[in-house]
Amino acid sequence: MHGAETDGQVVAAACTIAIDDLPDGLIVTDRYGCVLAVNRAAARLTKIAVERAVGRHMNDVFPFRDHDGRDWWKALDPEGGLRTRSRVPERPLHLPGGQELHVAARLVREPERGGEVERVTITLRDGGARARLERSRADLVSTVAHELRSPLTSVKGFTATMLAKWSRFTDEQKRVMLETVNNDADRVTRLITELLDVSRIESGRLEVRRQVVDLPARARRLIAGRVAAGETEDRFRLIVGDDLPEMWLDQDKVDQILGNLVENALRHGRGTVTIEIESVGWGVAVSVRDEGEGIEPELAPRVFRQFWRGGNSRRRGGTGLGLFIVKGLVEAHGGTITVQRAPEGGAEFRFTVPTGTPDFATSASV
């Protein structure tokens, strides 16, 4: 029993010391507001050194205010209120410098039920990260609304017109309107598919179904499809290296990666679009490059973000999600992707995926 008690004391001591390992900020006070402990994360978030805070009153070092300027610690009132109160929900608060943090608190009582408050534990989270997430969600809603409005307006307009005046149109006019409706319906379908891909990537629910994939054959099939859709054959060049290893990949997702990169090169670039496939030390590298204006080095970190569209005024369509999805699909295969200036002056996207084995052929959730 004595040994067990000793082990428990060691564990308790270790947990006390480990507050600096917490990812969120932590401040501990007594019932009167005197600061007992501050971890490194809290010092970093508030820009107040630990030694400046410990032993002083909360309002002297952490004078949190709500959006209406009210004193948070005074409203918290640990010594007052119901004795059953133990948790204070998270809310956005400000420090005098204007920095926003999301703050929650727990009143630790002794005894736990109905006792006096012994100490107050306060957690801090960066409000900037939450604000960025909210802006991202707002951008998503705005993009979806914008991208859906145009094709749905077209579909509604043409179908309503044909229903009301069917007999007045020639067969050629009907065909043109139906083709427009069909193309706009495809556009809506593509947007929905992209949004579902984004959702799976962000939630970690992307499934990779591996099988043996012939990368050069998939690239040839892609080029043939683009030529059949109206591009000229001399717009593309395929370079395949020697001794490519056997690759176990998700064929549909590889097609999507290649398709998005080639579509990006055609839309934003000029000249010949080159696809080069070569063996590297731990797998296969695929480069897709064009001969356009390229991407400025300072913009390279942004191209794989959601809704990045660049500054090319010649851009046609697109939601700004394609390259974000490409990055997610490549990383789901255990690979990496980069962008740099191509030798011909355009942009070069290069992704590398590791060599697979039949052991990975079953479905995997990433």
Side-chain angles (χ1 to χ4, degrees):
M1 180 64 71
H2 178 71
E5 291 176 351
T6 302
D7 290 343
Q9 292 170 357
V10 170
V11 171
C15 290
T16 302
I17 295 171
I19 64 170
D20 280 337
D21 297 333
L22 297 174
D24 295 331
L26 177 67
I27 301 170
V28 182
T29 77
D30 63 15
R31 75 177 75 173
Y32 306 110
C34 179
V35 177
L36 303 177
V38 179
N39 73 348
R40 281 197 296 258
R44 174 178 54 81
L45 289 169
T46 61
K47 298 179 175 60
I48 296 173
V50 174
E51 55 271 18
R52 283 183 51 204
V54 174
R56 300 179 64 188
H57 192 273
M58 272 289 293
N59 274 343
D60 292 335
V61 283
F62 303 113
F64 291 115
R65 299 290 187 272
D66 64 16
H67 289 301
D68 295 322
R70 291 187 290 260
D71 183 330
W72 178 76
W73 180 261
K74 183 177 180 180
L76 181 66
D77 188 18
E79 296 181 88
L82 297 174
R83 284 181 174 267
T84 56
R85 185 173 60 124
S86 61
R87 297 185 182 276
V88 179
E90 185 178 80
R91 62 183 302 186
L93 299 174
H94 293 275
L95 287 173
Q99 180 186 10
E100 182 179 87
L101 296 171
H102 289 266
V103 181
R106 181 172 182 268
L107 307 178
V108 182
R109 297 179 179 274
E110 185 61 42
E112 185 176 352
R113 293 182 178 274
E116 295 285 345
V117 173
E118 291 293 317
R119 61 187 180 276
V120 181
T121 58
I122 303 163
T123 58
L124 313 177
R125 298 178 185 231
D126 183 8
R130 183 75 60 86
R132 287 191 293 273
L133 177 60
E134 291 175 353
R135 285 196 299 271
S136 176
R137 289 173 177 170
D139 287 342
L140 178 62
V141 172
S142 176
T143 297
V144 171
H146 174 76
E147 294 294 333
L148 287 177
R149 183 183 296 115
S150 177
L152 290 179
T153 299
S154 171
V155 168
K156 175 62 177 175
F158 279 119
T159 52
T161 300
M162 285 190 291
L163 287 171
K165 303 177 181 179
W166 179 266
S167 61
R168 300 185 186 181
F169 296 115
T170 65
D171 289 343
E172 179 63 21
Q173 289 172 326
K174 294 174 183 176
R175 186 184 64 80
V176 170
M177 286 189 282
L178 286 172
E179 285 179 347
T180 303
V181 169
N182 183 64
N183 291 335
D184 284 334
D186 287 342
R187 181 176 165 188
V188 171
T189 301
R190 284 194 301 271
L191 174 61
I192 293 172
T193 300
E194 287 183 341
L195 292 173
L196 289 174
D197 286 337
V198 168
S199 175
R200 294 188 185 103
I201 290 169
E202 290 188 328
S203 64
R205 294 184 291 107
L206 193 67
E207 290 188 348
V208 176
R209 303 181 182 275
R210 296 180 184 271
Q211 63 186 67
V212 176
V213 174
D214 186 339
L215 279 175
R218 304 317 295 174
R220 293 187 189 97
R221 182 176 180 274
L222 171 64
I223 293 171
R226 300 299 311 200
V227 171
E231 299 287 349
T232 59
E233 287 191 31
D234 59 3
R235 185 78 196 272
F236 302 96
R237 178 174 58 181
L238 177 62
I239 303 173
V240 179
D242 298 327
D243 300 323
L244 294 179
E246 183 179 81
M247 301 299 298
W248 284 76
L249 307 168
D250 187 313
Q251 181 168 288
D252 291 338
K253 290 177 175 56
V254 166
D255 288 346
Q256 191 174 358
I257 293 168
L258 290 173
N260 281 5
L261 292 178
V262 169
E263 174 68 20
N264 183 76
L266 292 171
R267 179 180 295 156
H268 294 278
R270 293 194 300 267
T272 302
V273 175
T274 300
I275 303 174
E276 183 173 2
I277 304 172
E278 58 185 325
S279 177
V280 293
W282 55 283
V284 169
V286 181
S287 301
V288 179
R289 52 183 180 264
D290 60 70
E291 299 173 349
E293 298 174 0
I295 297 173
E296 297 299 327
E298 61 270 18
L299 297 179
R302 306 180 193 174
V303 301
F304 298 109
R305 295 178 185 173
Q306 291 184 36
F307 312 116
W308 188 86
R309 302 179 184 229
N312 193 334
S313 61
R314 298 182 299 105
R315 187 188 62 83
R316 305 185 304 277
T319 61
L321 296 173
L323 293 177
F324 173 83
I325 292 171
V326 164
K327 183 174 185 290
L329 297 180
V330 170
E331 291 178 348
H333 283 86
T336 59
I337 184 167
T338 59
V339 60
Q340 60 188 10
R341 182 171 291 277
E344 297 81 4
E348 177 178 345
F349 289 85
R350 179 182 174 88
F351 70 90
T352 306
V353 286
T355 302
T357 68
D359 295 336
F360 297 111
T362 56
S363 298
S365 180
V366 180

